[in-house]
Amino acid sequence: MIIINNTDIAITAVKPSGFPADGLPEVAFVGKSNVGKSSLINAMLGRKKLARASKQPGKTRTINFFHVEKKIYFVDLPGYGYARVSKSESATWGNMVESYLKNRPPLRRIFLLLDIRHEPGANDKMLYDWFLHYNLPFTLVATKSDKIPRGAVQKHLAMIRRTLGASEPPIPFSSETRQNREELWGLILDNCGIDML
């Protein structure tokens, strides 16, 4: 079991000049507002409130870099698709996040988070297709798997896969039970070229 002893928020930035310059590998987490990004990051790092969910969805407008064991960065990207965000704000989000995802050499893997209870929306599908178009390395994660009956999990994973046209189903994850935490850590370490933390 992966145990994290040393982690903190290292940098909060809105443009490349503010990103870490040490070249350590990065893994990024992206998804719509309220999909459970902060909860997943906290569960992965064994913390309760390191990554903080905003009380107002769509208000987080920065890219947050969490330094993990001084070996890798977890990158928390602002959520998308919140209805009350203006078109100009949404465009700013798009430019900032797209610039990071397309032009960031230390980025090793992107985790696209989807709520297992719901069919992926237009923004989810657009981002999925965008990752494919630019050949970016990414993994689908279906959050909140503890919120549906265990017997319904495979049906919901198949629904997400079918809606996106994905070649593989998402990995179900629960921040409450930490289901598949070790599997995600295995992916992260493999993609970052690290044997252990």
Side-chain angles (χ1 to χ4, degrees):
M1 183 172 135
I2 298 284
I3 297 174
I4 306 300
N5 295 309
N6 190 340
T7 184
D8 55 45
I9 184 161
I11 290 175
T12 295
V14 295
K15 54 188 177 182
S17 60
F19 297 165
D22 52 21
L24 290 177
E26 299 170 4
V27 292
F29 300 87
V30 64
K32 66 183 178 185
S33 298
N34 287 340
V35 76
K37 265 190 306 93
S38 297
S39 297
L40 181 143
I41 290 171
N42 287 329
M44 291 293 291
L45 298 178
R47 299 292 187 272
K48 287 190 175 178
K49 294 184 179 177
L50 184 67
R52 292 181 180 273
S54 172
K55 289 182 180 177
Q56 290 182 288
K59 284 298 183 186
T60 304
R61 282 288 170 267
T62 58
I63 297 177
N64 299 319
F65 293 81
F66 298 94
H67 209 186
V68 182
E69 298 291 1
K70 303 191 184 304
K71 291 185 177 180
I72 60 176
Y73 287 104
F74 272 28
V75 185
D76 183 10
L77 299 171
Y80 57 80
Y82 186 57
R84 285 186 177 170
V85 172
S86 69
K87 286 186 178 178
S88 62
E89 276 187 295
S90 183
T92 300
W93 179 94
N95 293 334
M96 177 174 65
V97 172
E98 284 185 22
S99 175
Y100 169 78
L101 293 173
K102 276 169 61 178
N103 307 309
R104 185 66 179 157
L107 180 60
R108 298 289 186 267
R109 195 93 194 159
I110 305 159
F111 291 91
L112 174 55
L113 276 52
L114 305 152
D115 189 326
I116 197 169
R117 299 170 297 179
H118 307 300
E119 190 171 340
N123 287 321
D124 300 317
K125 174 67 171 163
M126 189 165 54
L127 197 55
Y128 174 84
D129 291 340
W130 189 82
F131 289 161
L132 290 177
H133 177 76
Y134 287 101
N135 198 29
L136 296 173
F138 72 98
T139 297
L140 298 173
V141 179
T143 59
K144 308 186 182 185
S145 63
D146 58 293
K147 305 295 186 190
I148 61 173
R150 189 175 297 178
V153 168
Q154 293 306 318
K155 175 183 163 189
H156 282 251
L157 295 178
M159 173 263 293
I160 292 172
R161 180 181 181 181
R162 186 172 58 250
T163 302
L164 294 177
S167 58
E168 296 180 5
I171 298 171
F173 184 87
S174 165
S175 58
E176 296 293 325
T177 67
R178 299 194 178 184
Q179 177 194 16
N180 288 327
R181 176 181 183 267
E182 301 304 306
E183 182 178 347
L184 291 189
W185 264 118
L187 274 172
I188 290 167
L189 296 179
D190 285 348
N191 280 272
C192 291
I194 297 172
D195 290 333
M196 58 186 296
L197 292 169

